C-alpha cells in the first residue's frame, strides 16, 4: 500500500451563491488548472447541492484515487453539519461527508470553510512555520475564523460570534458592516481594534492573519491597529478555500492510509502470535500425551 502524499488533490468551495472547484498543486500551493464555478442551487437543499458538486467534479478529469476536499459553511463535526450559514437549514444534521461521497463516487473530506482558508494559510501562506497560537480571521459578510496551536487546527472556532456590545461581534465589525454603514477606514479600524484587542486578550496569539476580500486593501486599516500581536494580511485570498480543502483532503487520506497500513500490520502480527500460541499449545498437548502413555 502506498502511503506517500499525492502531488495533487481536488478542492471545492461551497458558498451561498457559488460552488467553485479546481485541482490543486500541493507542491506549490496553487491551482493546477483554472477554477470552474457553478451557481449554488436555490433553494440550496442537500440533494441539489450534492448534484451540483458532482457536476463540478465531472467537468474535470479527476482520477478515481485523487483526494477531494470540500469546504462547507457550517460547524462540521465528524463530517456532519451542526449549523447552516448561507445554505438551507435542512443541512443541519446532514452527514455531508457521506452524502457527497455517495453522490460523487469519490472519497470526500469536508471541512468548515473558514478552517479550510486557515489550513491554506498555515500550509502555503502567511502562517507557515509560525509556532504557538495562530488565528486566521476572514472579514466578509460575516467573520470567519480558524485557530491553530503549533500548526494543529482547533476546528470550528467561530470567533466572529464572540460578544461585542451585546451582540455577535461580526454584526459590528465585519466588512459588510463597514459597507452597510458607510464607515470610513479610520472609524472601521476603531471597531477592528476593539475586536482584535479582545481576541488578543483571550488567546495570546503569536500572529493574527486577516483574510477576506477587504484584505486586498489591508494598507488602509491594518497599520491603524495597535496590538502587541503581529497582524498581517492573508496571502491566498479568494483561492484559500479551494487550496485548503485540497490540502486537508490529502492530509486526511494520507492519515487514513497510514492507519489502514498500521491496522493491517497489527492484524498480521496478532495472527502470527495466535499461530505461535496454537503451535505451542499443540506441542504441549503432544508432550502431555506421551507422559500419559508412559504412565
Amino acid at each position: 500500500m502506498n502511503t506517500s502524499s499525492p502531488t495533487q488533490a481536488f478542492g471545492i468551495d461551497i458558498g451561498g451563491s457559488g460552488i467553485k472547484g479546481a485541482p490543486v498543486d500541493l507542491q506549490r500551493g496553487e491551482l493546477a488548472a483554472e477554477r470552474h464555478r457553478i451557481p449554488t442551487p436555490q433553494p440550496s437543499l442537500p440533494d441539489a447541492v450534492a448534484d451540483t458538486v458532482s457536476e463540478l467534479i465531472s467537468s474535470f478529469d479527476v482520477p478515481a484515487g485523487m483526494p477531494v476536499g470540500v469546504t462547507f459553511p457550517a460547524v462540521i463535526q465528524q463530517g456532519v453539519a451542526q449549523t447552516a450559514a448561507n445554505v438551507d437549514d435542512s443541512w443541519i444534521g446532514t452527514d455531508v461527508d457521506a452524502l457527497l461521497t455517495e453522490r460523487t463516487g469519490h472519497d470526500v473530506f469536508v471541512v468548515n470553510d473558514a478552517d479550510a482558508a486557515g489550513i491554506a494559510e498555515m500550509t502555503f501562506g502567511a502562517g507557515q512555520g509560525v509556532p504557538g497560537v495562530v488565528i486566521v480571521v476572514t472579514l466578509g459578510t460575516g467573520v470567519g475564523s480558524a485557530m491553530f496551536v503549533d500548526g494543529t487546527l482547533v476546528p470550528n472556532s467561530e470567533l466572529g460570534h464572540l460578544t461585542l456590545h451585546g451582540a455577535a461581534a461580526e454584526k459590528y465589525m465585519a466588512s459588510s458592516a463597514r459597507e452597510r454603514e458607510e464607515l470610513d477606514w479610520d472609524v472601521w479600524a476603531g471597531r477592528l481594534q476593539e475586536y482584535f484587542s479582545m481576541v488578543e486578550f483571550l488567546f495570546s496569539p503569536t500572529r493574527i492573519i486577516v483574510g477576506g476580500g477587504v484584505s486586498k486593501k489591508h494598507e488602509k486599516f491594518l497599520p491603524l491597529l495597535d496590538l502587541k500581536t503581529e497582524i498581517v494580511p492573508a496571502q491566498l485570498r479568494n483561492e484559500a478555500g479551494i487550496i485548503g480543502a485540497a490540502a486537508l483532503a490529502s492530509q486526511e487520506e494520507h492519515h487514513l492510509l497510514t492507519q489502514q497500513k498500521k491496522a493491517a500490520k497489527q492484524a498480521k502480527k496478532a495472527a502470527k502470535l495466535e499461530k505461535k500460541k496454537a503451535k505451542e499449545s499443540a506441542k504441549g498437548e503432544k508432550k502431555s500425551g506421551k507422559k500419559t502413555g508412559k504412565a
Side-chain angles (χ1 to χ4, degrees):
M1 184 182 293
N2 181 18
T3 57
S4 61
S5 298
T7 57
Q8 281 195 8
F10 198 85
I12 296 174
D13 191 5
I14 296 178
S17 60
I19 299 175
K20 308 174 290 272
V24 174
D25 183 329
L26 298 174
Q27 303 293 317
R28 301 169 64 87
E30 60 187 35
L31 303 190
E34 186 175 349
R35 74 178 187 179
H36 182 50
R37 181 185 184 278
I38 302 176
T40 303
Q42 301 301 329
S44 51
L45 301 172
D47 280 338
V49 171
D51 286 340
T52 303
V53 168
S54 181
E55 178 187 345
L56 179 62
I57 292 176
S58 297
S59 67
F60 291 86
D61 183 18
V62 181
M66 181 180 284
V68 176
V70 177
T71 79
F72 197 76
V75 170
I76 299 292
Q77 292 180 335
Q78 285 78 52
V80 177
Q82 305 296 329
T83 61
N86 300 319
V87 289
D88 194 83
D89 285 349
S90 59
W91 279 99
I92 298 174
T94 297
D95 190 329
V96 189
D97 254 349
L99 174 62
L100 297 183
T101 294
E102 182 273 327
R103 196 63 56 88
T104 65
H106 292 269
D107 285 331
V108 172
F109 301 89
V110 178
V111 62
N112 169 269
D113 52 358
D115 285 346
I119 289 167
E121 287 296 328
M122 293 301 292
T123 308
F124 304 109
Q128 288 185 83
V130 181
V133 177
V134 177
I135 296 175
V136 182
V137 175
T138 304
L139 302 174
T141 304
V143 174
S145 68
M147 185 185 301
F148 298 83
V149 179
D150 291 330
T152 299
L153 174 68
V154 180
N156 304 308
S157 55
E158 298 290 339
L159 300 185
H161 293 280
L162 289 172
T163 301
L164 192 59
H165 297 292
E170 63 181 8
K171 294 181 179 179
Y172 177 69
M173 42 63 67
S175 181
S176 60
R178 181 185 69 83
E179 295 171 356
R180 182 177 62 251
E181 299 178 39
E182 299 181 349
L183 305 175
D184 62 31
W185 293 105
D186 284 356
V187 173
W188 188 53
R191 295 189 178 190
L192 293 179
Q193 178 70 46
E194 290 183 72
Y195 173 73
F196 285 119
S197 292
M198 178 169 58
V199 169
E200 182 179 63
F201 175 75
L202 291 173
F203 301 104
S204 301
T206 304
R207 179 178 293 177
I208 297 172
I209 300 169
V210 178
V214 74
S215 66
K216 294 177 183 177
K217 300 178 181 178
H218 61 87
E219 72 283 351
K220 293 182 180 293
F221 62 93
L222 287 188
L224 301 177
L225 303 181
D226 182 18
L227 300 168
K228 295 177 183 177
T229 305
E230 180 186 26
I231 186 164
V232 301
Q235 294 178 4
L236 300 175
R237 296 182 180 141
N238 288 340
E239 295 178 351
I242 293 174
I243 293 171
L248 174 77
S250 174
Q251 294 165 12
E252 289 293 321
E253 184 177 78
H254 180 69
H255 175 71
L256 183 61
L257 289 174
T258 301
Q259 290 299 104
Q260 288 174 347
K261 186 175 182 180
K262 185 177 178 181
K265 277 187 176 180
Q266 289 175 338
K268 189 176 180 180
K269 187 177 180 180
K272 191 174 181 181
L273 185 61
E274 196 63 36
K275 188 176 180 181
K276 184 179 178 182
K277 285 182 178 179
K279 190 175 181 181
E280 288 175 350
S281 177
K283 188 176 180 181
E285 288 177 4
K286 188 176 181 181
K287 192 173 182 180
S288 177
K290 284 183 177 179
K291 285 183 178 180
T292 304
K294 283 182 180 180

